[in-house]
Amino acid sequence: MGQPQKPIAAEQQILSLGRVLQSLREEEDVDVLIETTISYLKEQFDYRLIWIALYDRLNHILFGKGGTTPDHDTRFLRQRVVLSPGDLLEQVVIEQHPLGIADLQTEIRAADWRKVAEKFHIQGTIILPIRHKDRCLGLLLLGSERWGYLLTGEAKARLMMVLGELGAVLYQNEMDLQHKQTKRTDEPLLELLENLRTLTNLNQKLEAAVQTTHKFVSPSRTNVYWFEREGRYFWCRMSNQLVKIDRNSSTQQAAGITVQELSDFYYALAVNQIVSIGDARSSLKSHFTAKLLQRLKVRSLLAAPIIWQKNLLGFLAVESNEPRIWTETDKNFVQGVAGLISLVAPAESMESTVKQIQEDAQLTSQVAQGIYSQHDLEETLHSCAKRVLARLAATRFLLLQYDPEQNNYQFIYQSQPYNRRPLTFTLHPLKELDGQLLQRSTQAVEIENLDEDLRFFNWRPPLLENGVRSLLVCKCTHEHIPAALLVITQETHRSWTTLEKELLWAVSQQIGVILRQWQLHNRTTQQQKTSQAFEQCLHILTQSQNSKIEVKKKHLERTALEQIASILGCPLAVLLSWSPGESWAKIIPGVIENSKFGIFSDASIPIQAEALIQWALATESYLILKVDDLPPETRKWLNAPDKGQILVMALRTNADYETTGVILLADYQECRWSEQNLSATVTLISQLAWWRREKQITQLLESTTEELRQLNWYKHRRSEEIQRITAHSLRQIHDLGIPANELYQMRYQLLLRQLDHTATSMSGMLKLEHWELNISWETIPIASLMKRSLERIENLVKQQKLWIGVHGLGQPIEEQSPKNSSLAKDVPTSNTQSSLAIAGDIVKIELVIHELLVTACNRSQIGGRIDIWCRRLDASKTVDPNYSASTGAEHRTSLELSITYNGAIEPELLTELHNTPKDVLAASNLDQPPGLHLLICQNLMQKLQGQLNFYQLPDNRVVSRLLLPLVGHDS
């Protein structure tokens, strides 16, 4: 065996990197880790100055851990560095990204290191963070005597691997140290839990909890505060200094903390949020923090809520006279003790709670009996209100009903003490946020302090004026806008327990059922009356289809208006009618039963200028307004009493279809139309709108069909006459014989063949395409097709002085202008691309191409340019993903023919060519040429297994893109 070869330099670097990474993984001592890293850096990198420091996050300080210098004096490398704003070292610590410095001696943001750089002649420097999991653990500074000396890609990769491994080990050591220093909370909590089992009195349990917490957290004092709902204040029930404090004690500790003065503190506890106030840190707003600390005469506070069944019973507080940073262990322990207190606290009042639950069940059962009993609604509500007010110690029992016509809430029942007057005002409709709050609620909504709470803000003035200070609100129904609400009020600030709110919720739901039954009974008669009118009106609208006798359209409209007016009892009903595209509306009178109304039926009303029409068009449903609101222009054709009321509604069928009329209903005085009648009216007006649209479409299609039949008959008979004359002329030419002159003879035969071909093609068209298109299947080289197409527009091109360029037929060609000879003769025909042939009905395809070329010429400017691009295209590259599926040519290769020109085209026309308008009655650019011709070509190409699209490029050029099926190799 030969001698082992010495490893090359690259292998040595990899071996050295592997050794240092292995050493870092296996070492636990931080100093040894630093020394190992420094040794590797001195060995592998050419830097005269190396410094490693560890970062203290809490104090924002770097501790130097050593390194190397040119004079081997490393004492200053172990100093403590306080980071300051704007310093380069702080920038790297915060951003955690490497920072390169071309010359450290001139860097003003590194004051102390400038002196070191000048002493050792250090210039190019790089500072790198030692980090792990987005946490900066230290810094590495490398300095060189070269200016701008930076790391190469390979060296930087090795260095980042070493620093990454060092950061991971340092991070793990830090986590292990924190874990060792963390106090264990499980043993004290388990010991406290065992003590609580042996104690019977709640005060004794509270005392044990306070002592255990005080021993574990070691604050200045530890207290348990209890919450009184009637006065909305906290009082100190237990303390490690004053044990068994009575709520009536006059000491400062038992004086009580009112919710009104520290509302943020109370609301944070109510949602089960721990409150932490420490050294310059607080979970509350600054002014509440200062008030709370001043009230308790402490400088640090940690408070955990005591909650049972979502009810705030009080809170456990550890208080310190010095600024203190509360650890997560402290917070978790205090929160755990508060949770244990919440478990043992209900035992004190268990008997009274059971008794109260039984009484609540009896109350709800009595209310439920009112649903099935024959008692009057007033009697049922009176019994319910008396028991609820006594149970909740409230002042007023209010039942509100929403009136959609007046858009407010009215009191349909209320109960109060004999020395209180009933409320006589109405309440505004709910704001959107309040409505959403009630809609999502599953229990009573509680307002503890109406003076400060922003909920139900628009109800505050009248309620406060009548002495209401707190209230409970329950929805009785589940509509989007709650139709019925149950409100319990109190004249003092107070809160209610979850049990009390759940009781009121159960009562409100049962009252909602009673109200529902009562309302359904009252609506039955009205619904029967409306149903009869509804049936008669629908019968009138459908009789034109079912009757054998033709009924005039206007007569049906007038009859329908009479039935619609009868539902609302209106003495006036008219229709303002127009056709799509018209600017003036005509009046179709339906009902005029009162002499107070007058209609100038012969008037022509401008649609855009008439306020009633525009208001109706701008409203999705109906619009109700007063006669006083009508402008003078409307009064010229509509005469109505000043105190009258008008309903207008547009005849809408679909958002994409145009409106063709407005229904106008009027009454001589303001009245309340019920929602049922309005709903029936809206339905019948919508039905009338659809019926009118059906009639208009039918008339349009019938007239269009009649015109097309006449046009087809005329053109067909004319084509027959032209074919007859052509054939007769041909026979005469044949009878005359062939001229003797050889030149004339040649031209004579050429013209004769053309006439024969024309006559033959016309005969085929007259025979096969009399009343429908006949699709033939032929092939033609694309070059020949382009040559013939360009010959047909040669005169038009010369008139417009256009330039035409044909590209993609296999070879570059000269751009053609009107000064050149014939356009078509220069089209190449001898190469591979030009030998391609298309398949299909060539006559129709040639007509489509001719139409596109004529459109391009007509829309181009004089002296403009038209480019024709041809290229072979696979089916998978077509623009339209439905192309293959619609034509059945999944694997067919196509020819893309694009005609590009600079010219003006209407954006609306392009939009409609891409998406045909849905409303056949609306005016469209596709109803007349040139849009109609382009649409015909587009539809025709789909039948010919092709595709035609129109686009506009960003440079405003217009593109007509035509896809034609190519002849396959095996065809």
Side-chain angles (χ1 to χ4, degrees):
M1 297 178 58
Q3 293 292 331
Q5 297 182 358
K6 296 182 64 177
I8 59 178
E11 293 178 348
Q12 291 179 348
Q13 292 177 353
I14 295 175
L15 294 174
S16 178
L17 176 62
R19 286 194 298 269
V20 73
L21 292 178
Q22 184 68 25
S23 300
L24 293 177
R25 294 190 191 101
E26 297 175 353
E27 186 58 54
E28 295 182 357
D29 187 81
V30 175
D31 293 331
V32 177
L33 289 171
I34 300 298
E35 291 298 327
T36 302
T37 305
I38 293 174
S39 300
Y40 175 76
L41 296 175
K42 289 168 60 177
E43 176 186 348
Q44 296 294 326
F45 299 93
D46 184 17
Y47 283 98
R48 302 292 305 281
L49 177 62
I50 301 174
W51 179 57
I52 294 181
L54 298 183
Y55 175 55
D56 181 4
R57 293 188 309 280
L58 295 179
N59 299 309
H60 203 44
I61 294 175
L62 290 173
F63 291 95
K65 302 299 290 185
T68 180
T69 60
D71 62 355
H72 304 291
D73 184 7
T74 61
R75 287 176 299 175
F76 76 95
L77 297 180
R78 298 185 178 274
Q79 296 179 358
R80 186 180 69 170
V81 178
V82 179
L83 298 177
S84 57
D87 191 2
L88 287 178
L89 299 180
E90 186 194 49
Q91 178 181 342
V92 176
V93 167
I94 294 176
E95 296 180 356
Q96 298 188 28
H97 290 295
L99 177 65
I101 305 169
D103 189 353
L104 187 59
Q105 300 180 28
T106 61
E107 182 56 58
I108 60 175
R109 293 181 295 169
D112 296 336
W113 288 98
R114 287 179 62 187
K115 299 177 182 179
V116 176
E118 293 174 354
K119 177 180 178 182
F120 297 119
H121 308 290
I122 300 299
Q123 295 190 50
T125 306
I126 184 171
I127 306 174
L128 301 100
I130 303 173
R131 56 186 296 272
H132 185 72
K133 292 186 176 179
D134 295 329
R135 177 180 292 185
C136 184
L137 303 168
L139 293 180
L140 169 63
L141 185 146
L142 301 175
S144 172
E145 293 181 347
R146 304 180 187 177
W147 185 90
Y149 182 68
L150 299 176
L151 291 171
T152 62
E154 180 270 338
K156 183 178 180 180
R158 289 187 287 118
L159 179 58
M160 296 308 294
M161 293 176 63
V162 173
L163 293 182
E165 189 65 35
L166 176 61
V169 177
L170 292 175
Y171 177 82
Q172 187 60 43
N173 289 343
E174 184 176 331
M175 294 296 102
D176 295 341
L177 180 61
Q178 289 182 2
H179 182 71
K180 292 177 181 179
Q181 294 175 349
T182 301
K183 294 185 291 184
R184 295 180 60 86
T185 61
D186 50 354
E187 294 179 359
L189 286 176
L190 290 174
E191 184 180 351
L192 173 61
L193 180 60
E194 187 64 29
N195 291 337
L196 294 178
R197 291 176 180 174
T198 61
L199 300 175
T200 57
N201 185 274
L202 179 61
N203 285 332
Q204 294 177 351
K205 296 178 181 180
L206 294 178
E207 181 181 358
V210 167
Q211 297 298 339
T212 302
T213 305
H214 191 78
K215 180 180 179 181
F216 184 85
V217 183
S218 300
S220 300
R221 59 178 177 267
T222 304
N223 301 324
V224 172
Y225 292 86
W226 220 246
F227 181 55
E228 286 297 324
R229 296 188 175 276
E230 291 294 336
R232 296 180 79 236
Y233 68 91
F234 295 96
W235 61 281
C236 185
R237 182 166 182 172
M238 186 61 62
S239 174
N240 69 305
Q241 297 177 352
L242 301 173
V243 182
K244 298 181 181 179
I245 301 175
D246 183 72
R247 77 178 67 181
N248 298 319
S249 173
S250 60
T251 62
Q252 180 67 26
Q253 286 296 322
I257 303 173
T258 63
V259 172
Q260 188 171 0
E261 62 178 336
L262 294 171
S263 58
D264 265 28
F265 176 62
Y266 166 70
Y267 291 125
L269 295 175
V271 296
N272 199 19
Q273 176 182 338
I274 189 170
V275 176
S276 174
I277 302 175
D279 186 10
R281 301 176 184 177
S282 175
S283 59
L284 300 177
K285 295 181 180 178
S286 58
H287 63 284
F288 282 106
T289 299
K291 289 176 64 177
L292 181 60
L293 296 180
Q294 183 181 4
R295 179 67 182 80
L296 297 176
K297 296 183 178 180
V298 295
R299 301 186 66 182
S300 300
L301 173 69
L302 188 61
I306 302 172
I307 293 180
W308 171 253
Q309 291 184 343
K310 300 181 182 180
N311 295 317
L312 180 64
L313 304 180
F315 65 92
L316 172 64
V318 290
E319 307 165 4
S320 177
N321 296 327
E322 300 297 331
R324 176 169 174 175
I325 298 177
W326 305 106
T327 64
E328 289 297 323
T329 304
D330 296 335
K331 296 178 183 178
N332 294 335
F333 187 82
V334 173
Q335 199 167 20
V337 174
L340 292 177
I341 295 175
S342 68
L343 294 177
V344 300
E348 184 182 30
S349 57
M350 187 63 70
E351 292 184 3
S352 61
T353 302
V354 171
K355 182 179 179 181
Q356 193 64 66
I357 292 175
Q358 293 175 347
E359 294 178 356
D360 293 346
Q362 184 181 3
L363 171 61
T364 54
S365 64
Q366 289 179 353
V367 178
Q369 290 175 4
I371 301 176
Y372 308 101
S373 66
Q374 300 297 326
H375 297 300
D376 183 69
L377 176 64
E378 188 82 13
E379 182 180 349
T380 303
L381 292 177
H382 175 75
S383 174
C384 174
K386 183 178 179 180
R387 296 179 64 87
V388 169
L389 290 177
R391 167 68 177 85
L392 301 182
T395 306
R396 294 181 184 272
F397 180 97
L398 306 173
L399 187 59
L400 283 69
Q401 180 74 32
Y402 177 70
D403 186 351
E405 298 171 358
Q406 298 295 326
N407 193 26
N408 59 23
Y409 279 94
Q410 300 178 358
F411 298 108
I412 61 174
Y413 179 82
Q414 53 182 313
S415 178
Q416 60 280 326
Y418 295 108
N419 58 349
R420 299 290 189 275
R421 294 181 179 179
L423 303 179
T424 58
F425 54 86
T426 60
L427 293 173
H428 295 294
L430 295 172
K431 298 293 185 181
E432 183 179 359
L433 290 178
D434 295 330
Q436 293 176 357
L437 173 65
L438 287 176
Q439 188 67 25
R440 296 191 302 265
S441 64
T442 56
Q443 66 176 15
V445 177
E446 178 183 24
I447 304 295
E448 300 180 15
N449 187 351
L450 189 60
D451 299 281
E452 297 179 354
D453 205 311
L454 297 179
R455 293 174 294 178
F456 306 100
F457 186 79
N458 56 339
W459 289 6
R460 286 176 59 183
L463 292 177
L464 289 173
E465 186 178 347
N466 286 270
V468 177
R469 293 296 178 268
S470 57
L471 64 152
L472 288 176
V473 183
C474 282
K475 62 180 180 181
C476 300
T477 57
H478 295 272
E479 291 91 346
H480 178 66
I481 299 178
L485 297 176
L486 177 60
V487 181
I488 302 298
T489 70
Q490 178 60 276
E491 294 181 346
T492 60
H493 300 155
R494 65 158 297 176
S495 63
W496 285 270
T497 64
T498 301
L499 189 62
E500 292 170 334
K501 289 185 283 187
E502 290 177 350
L503 168 66
L504 189 64
W505 175 264
V507 171
S508 69
Q509 300 308 296
Q510 293 171 349
I511 291 177
V513 176
I514 297 175
L515 289 176
R516 185 66 175 172
Q517 284 187 334
W518 177 60
Q519 292 170 353
L520 290 175
H521 176 73
N522 292 339
R523 291 175 184 173
T524 302
T525 305
Q526 181 64 35
Q527 288 179 346
Q528 291 176 351
K529 183 190 300 184
T530 303
S531 178
Q532 294 175 358
F534 198 84
E535 183 178 354
Q536 293 176 4
C537 189
L538 291 178
H539 174 70
I540 293 171
L541 293 179
T542 56
Q543 67 176 321
S544 62
Q545 297 178 358
N546 300 329
S547 178
K548 297 181 180 179
I549 303 174
E550 182 67 22
V551 184
K552 291 186 178 180
K553 177 183 175 183
K554 290 186 178 180
H555 172 71
L556 286 175
E557 290 173 342
R558 290 192 182 98
T559 309
L561 287 174
E562 292 174 0
Q563 294 301 320
I564 292 173
S566 67
I567 294 179
L568 296 180
C570 293
L572 175 68
V574 297
L575 170 61
L576 306 179
S577 176
W578 64 87
S579 297
E582 292 183 352
S583 302
W584 298 85
K586 56 185 177 181
I587 300 175
I588 300 178
V591 177
I592 304 178
E593 296 179 351
N594 198 307
S595 59
K596 297 180 180 180
F597 292 97
I599 294 291
F600 183 39
S601 58
D602 295 333
S604 295
I605 303 172
I607 297 175
Q608 296 297 327
E610 176 51 51
L612 273 180
I613 294 179
Q614 294 303 315
W615 292 342
L617 294 179
T619 307
E620 290 187 6
S621 185
Y622 59 86
L623 176 66
I624 299 177
L625 46 92
K626 299 178 182 179
V627 174
D628 294 336
D629 299 331
L630 298 179
E633 291 77 9
T634 304
R635 294 292 192 99
K636 293 179 182 179
W637 59 269
L638 174 61
N639 183 23
D642 293 337
K643 296 182 179 180
Q645 180 173 279
I646 290 178
L647 180 146
V648 291
M649 179 175 174
L651 291 177
R652 282 194 178 88
T653 52
N654 188 289
D656 297 325
Y657 300 159
E658 289 194 2
T659 304
T660 60
V662 170
I663 294 289
L664 185 149
L665 304 172
D667 204 343
Y668 58 87
Q669 63 181 1
E670 294 184 23
C671 59
R672 296 183 180 179
W673 291 320
S674 66
E675 284 295 329
Q676 293 79 9
N677 290 343
L678 287 174
S679 177
T681 302
V682 169
T683 303
L684 292 179
I685 292 176
S686 300
Q687 185 68 29
L688 177 59
W690 280 105
W691 178 82
R692 280 170 50 85
R693 175 175 174 78
E694 178 189 357
K695 289 300 178 185
Q696 290 173 340
I697 292 177
T698 302
Q699 292 175 359
L700 175 62
L701 295 179
E702 287 178 351
S703 61
T704 303
T705 302
E706 183 179 357
E707 291 176 1
L708 291 177
R709 286 174 176 173
Q710 293 173 358
L711 180 62
N712 184 66
W713 172 85
Y714 164 73
K715 289 189 174 182
H716 198 80
R717 291 294 180 259
R718 287 285 296 167
S719 299
E720 288 178 344
E721 180 63 17
I722 294 173
Q723 192 271 343
R724 186 188 64 81
I725 296 174
T726 304
H728 180 69
S729 300
L730 281 173
R731 286 194 298 270
Q732 290 180 343
I733 292 175
H734 282 295
D735 293 340
L736 290 175
I738 302 175
N741 186 294
E742 183 177 353
L743 178 60
Y744 288 159
Q745 180 180 357
M746 184 182 303
R747 295 184 62 186
Y748 174 85
Q749 292 177 344
L750 179 61
L751 294 174
L752 194 59
R753 282 198 300 269
Q754 291 178 351
L755 286 174
D756 283 334
H757 177 72
T758 303
T760 302
S761 62
M762 189 172 294
S763 299
M765 180 191 70
L766 294 173
K767 180 180 179 180
L768 300 176
E769 298 182 308
H770 188 182
W771 289 106
E772 62 180 357
L773 293 177
N774 178 61
I775 306 301
S776 63
W777 193 260
E778 308 167 87
T779 62
I780 187 175
I782 182 61
S784 300
L785 180 62
M786 290 305 305
K787 185 175 181 180
R788 281 160 45 174
S789 299
L790 292 176
E791 283 178 350
R792 296 183 63 178
I793 64 168
E794 186 171 356
N795 291 333
L796 184 57
V797 170
K798 290 181 179 179
Q799 292 175 5
Q800 295 289 101
K801 299 181 180 178
L802 300 174
W803 294 73
I804 293 186
V806 182
H807 313 275
L809 291 182
Q811 65 184 29
I813 67 171
E814 296 284 336
E815 290 185 344
Q816 304 300 327
S817 71
K819 297 180 180 179
N820 298 114
S821 57
S822 176
L823 289 172
K825 68 180 183 180
D826 293 319
V827 176
T829 59
S830 60
N831 50 61
T832 304
Q833 184 80 348
S834 62
S835 63
L836 296 176
I838 63 171
D841 195 323
I842 303 303
V843 174
K844 296 180 178 61
I845 293 176
E846 187 175 353
L847 289 175
V848 171
I849 295 176
H850 176 70
E851 184 69 34
L852 298 178
L853 291 174
V854 169
T855 301
C857 293
N858 291 334
R859 290 184 175 272
S860 297
Q861 300 177 356
I862 296 178
R865 176 189 179 103
I866 299 176
D867 291 295
I868 303 173
W869 305 84
C870 302
R871 66 165 177 163
R872 186 189 186 98
L873 191 66
D874 291 337
S876 59
K877 297 181 181 179
T878 57
V879 174
D880 187 356
N882 298 321
Y883 170 69
S884 295
S886 62
T887 60
E890 291 81 356
H891 304 289
R892 178 173 296 160
T893 304
S894 303
L895 175 73
E896 181 186 53
L897 180 66
S898 299
I899 301 174
T900 307
Y901 60 93
N902 283 304
I905 188 169
E906 299 81 0
E908 297 82 5
L909 177 59
L910 280 178
T911 302
E912 292 177 2
L913 285 172
H914 279 282
N915 300 293
T916 304
K918 298 180 180 179
D919 190 358
V920 298
L921 296 177
S924 171
N925 291 308
L926 305 181
D927 292 339
Q928 63 279 331
L932 178 60
H933 292 171
L934 296 179
L935 178 63
I936 292 173
C937 292
Q938 203 172 42
N939 296 334
L940 182 59
M941 287 310 304
Q942 291 183 357
K943 294 183 179 180
L944 299 178
Q945 299 186 6
Q947 184 180 349
L948 175 59
N949 293 300
F950 302 92
Y951 308 97
Q952 188 162 23
L953 300 178
D955 58 0
N956 293 326
R957 287 185 298 163
V958 182
V959 179
S960 301
R961 183 176 184 267
L962 184 64
L963 294 183
L964 301 172
L966 282 173
V967 178
H969 296 293
D970 56 348
S971 299

